[in-house]
């Protein structure tokens, strides 16, 4: 298992140690969501996830699929923690920077690279897609 938390530490969780997929997403939503250059999605089975402490709040936005993305965050410090698609009960996307032992990004997939910030360099040999594959 891997553990993670928000910035203030009130929301803590554990999840599968190894992701099913690991994405770096350069889309506009992820830039806003992270208030930084890109989002890191550490995709795990939902049944590997367990809340250890705290009570996250949810904000929902429309997904490209037509459904809703439910976005969990800490009500005290505001850190975004994970996203789940209301229509997909099998997996969820933990925001990679919230993990105590963050994953290596050297083998992650880069998506929405056509929206990446100028100066962000995609490592040579990384799988990269201009939009969503
Ligand atoms: Zn917090
Ligand atoms: Zn994105």
């Amino acid at each position: 298992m891997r553990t993670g938390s928000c910035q203030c530490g009130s929301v803590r969780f554990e999840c599968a140690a190894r992701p099913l997929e690991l994405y770096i997403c350069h889309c506009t939503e992820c830039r806003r969501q992270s208030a930084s250059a890109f989002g890191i999605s550490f995709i795990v089975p939902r049944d590997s996830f367990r809340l250890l402490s705290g009570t996250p709040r949810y904000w929902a936005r429309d997904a490209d699929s037509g459904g809703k993305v439910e976005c969990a965050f800490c009500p005290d410090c505001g850190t975004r923690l994970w996203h789940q698609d209301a229509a997909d009960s099998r997996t969820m996307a933990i925001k990679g920077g919230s993990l105590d032992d963050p994953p290596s990004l050297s083998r992650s997939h880069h998506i929405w690279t056509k929206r990446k910030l100028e100066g962000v360099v995609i490592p040579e040999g990384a799988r990269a897609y201009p939009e969503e594959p």
Side-chain angles (χ1 to χ4, degrees):
M1 287 302 216
R2 246 180 236 257
T3 53
S5 80
C6 62
Q7 192 173 11
C8 79
S10 92
V11 179
R12 289 199 59 76
F13 60 86
E14 66 179 14
C15 66
R18 286 168 186 278
L20 301 169
E21 304 274 4
L22 182 60
Y23 289 110
I24 291 179
C25 182
H26 300 268
C27 83
T28 311
E29 292 285 356
C30 288
R31 176 168 61 78
R32 289 254 188 239
Q33 165 282 114
S34 64
S36 187
F38 50 77
I40 304 173
S41 289
F42 187 91
I43 312 287
V44 296
R46 279 208 207 182
D47 60 12
S48 79
F49 179 90
R50 197 161 67 92
L51 189 64
L52 299 174
S53 71
T55 308
R57 279 187 58 195
Y58 289 87
W59 171 75
R61 69 170 173 84
D62 294 331
D64 293 337
S65 62
K68 287 277 181 200
V69 183
E70 298 163 348
C71 309
F73 62 96
C74 172
D76 295 325
C77 70
T79 306
R80 191 67 71 79
L81 294 164
W82 66 85
H83 291 179
Q84 50 198 35
D85 187 323
D88 175 10
S89 58
R90 294 173 308 110
T91 64
M92 62 193 290
I94 291 172
K95 301 288 99 191
S98 69
L99 295 164
D100 296 331
D101 180 18
S104 164
L105 300 182
S106 57
R107 295 179 64 190
S108 63
H109 300 183
H110 289 254
I111 62 175
W112 283 102
T113 56
K114 73 179 195 185
R115 299 260 189 270
K116 78 178 179 62
L117 298 193
E118 205 179 319
V120 171
V121 178
I122 308 290
E124 209 173 310
R127 269 178 287 182
Y129 306 88
E131 298 184 359
E132 218 154 321

